[in-house]
Every structure is written in structure tokens, then in C-alpha cells.
Amino acid sequence: MAVVLEDDLVTLTCDSCGDTVAGPRVASDSEVAWALLSEHGWSGSPLAAGPHRCAHCTRLGPATGGEPGGILGIEHVGDVTVVTVAGDVDLDTGDTLRQALRHATDMGGHVIVDLGRTDLIDSTALGLLARAHRDAAERGRRLCVVTISPLIRQVLKVTRLAEVFCVADDRSAALALLEAGRPSAGGAAS
């Protein structure tokens, strides 16, 4: 997710580092993105739906392209199932996450999705997380996401998913949040 359109404001998020820039929204979404891109030295698609990189990341050279998304493991810690994800999770790699989340929610306990080795998720992954949250909630359980990625935290914040399920910096913080029944803890949530 690179662009957030509000009533009279547009916010771009760098796909590499998660940095943001905002500006006034004008009639055409593509014009808005193009104006902000050129004004702030960003690179990427002139269209709102395309990828964007901040001026700093643009100077670093071409994006390295993340590794494909995959599931490193599924662990059971008491009544919590932990799904550990690595690499970018997008439309092409979402099926493995879908299967792992289905297994985790079928276990009947709380679910932790550890995105500590993930830098990029797209709308496919967001939809899968939202569905897993709903499936867990239907069973009286909760879902918690572990991430330190500024980009993922920004996406969760902007989509308001950070208000739906808890977001923690690491597994131990996620376990503590689930145990306490709280949505998030001060510095550990976005």
C-alpha cells in the first residue's frame, strides 16, 4: 500500500523504508501521486496504486526486491499457535500464508503471526490477517501481529487494522498482550 487518500489529503508511503510524505489532494489521484513524487524527489509509478520510493531510498539505487514470502514454521505455545513468516507476502505468495492461518485458527487458540522477517505485505496479506482475526474472534480468541517493520506498522495503522488486533514488537510482548487480554501495550503497539 503506497498511497492513502483522505478527503483533502494524500499520504505516500515508501515501499522500501516506510517513510511518509503528505500533500493536498487534488481532483485526479494519479496527478496527486505524480505531484508529490516530483515535488519531494520520490521515484516510482505516477499512479496512486503503484510502488513508490522516497528520495533517500531512490538515491540508494534500485530496490533489491524482497525474497518470496514463505512460512518458516508453525509452533504451538500453550493455547497459542505462532505462524512465523519470512519474505514479502503478496498476491503471488499469499496461498502459503492462507493455509498456515487456516491451520492456526482451526487449532482453536489465540494466534500470533510473526512478521519479524517480513518487510512488505500487500492487500492480499491484509485480507488474510483480517479473516484470521475474524475466525479467531468467532471462537472467542484473538490474533496478534509481531512486526518491527516501519512500513508494515504504517500500513496496519492507516488501514486501522492496528485497532482491530494487537501489534507487538516481539513474541514475548505478543504473548503478554494475549494473556492480559489487551489490544496493545504503550510502546509495543502502533
Side-chain angles (χ1 to χ4, degrees):
M1 168 180 248
V3 176
V4 176
L5 300 172
E6 297 177 21
D7 290 338
D8 52 358
L9 185 71
V10 64
T11 303
L12 293 175
T13 301
C14 177
D15 291 330
S16 296
C17 70
D19 195 16
T20 61
V21 65
R25 182 174 180 183
V26 294
S28 168
D29 294 345
S30 62
E31 290 175 8
V32 169
W34 182 249
L36 278 176
L37 287 167
S38 57
E39 180 181 335
H40 294 282
W42 285 41
S43 64
S45 170
L47 303 175
H52 303 100
R53 297 179 78 214
C54 70
H56 173 75
C57 291
T58 298
R59 284 191 298 275
L60 293 176
T64 58
E67 57 186 82
I71 304 302
L72 287 183
I74 299 175
E75 303 169 57
H76 303 285
V77 181
D79 73 338
V80 177
T81 302
V82 181
V83 177
T84 304
V85 182
D88 297 345
V89 183
D90 55 22
L91 181 62
D92 295 330
T93 60
D95 281 341
T96 56
L97 180 59
R98 177 181 291 110
Q99 292 170 358
L101 291 174
R102 185 173 299 135
H103 168 78
T105 56
D106 285 348
M107 295 305 296
H110 297 301
V111 177
I112 293 177
V113 182
D114 186 344
L115 299 175
R117 296 182 180 116
T118 303
D119 293 318
L120 181 70
I121 59 175
D122 73 356
S123 60
T124 301
L126 293 173
L128 293 170
L129 291 172
R131 181 179 183 134
H133 161 74
R134 186 192 72 214
D135 292 346
E138 286 175 355
R139 293 183 168 111
R141 300 305 186 156
R142 300 183 57 232
L143 178 130
C144 190
V145 173
V146 172
T147 184
I148 57 170
S149 165
L151 178 59
I152 293 174
R153 284 182 169 270
Q154 178 68 15
V155 167
L156 293 175
K157 181 179 176 185
V158 166
T159 59
R160 297 188 146 179
L161 286 172
E163 298 170 14
V164 174
F165 42 75
C166 64
V167 180
D169 290 335
D170 57 41
R171 281 190 197 190
S172 59
L175 287 166
L177 290 172
L178 290 172
E179 184 177 310
R182 293 187 315 242
S184 61
S190 32

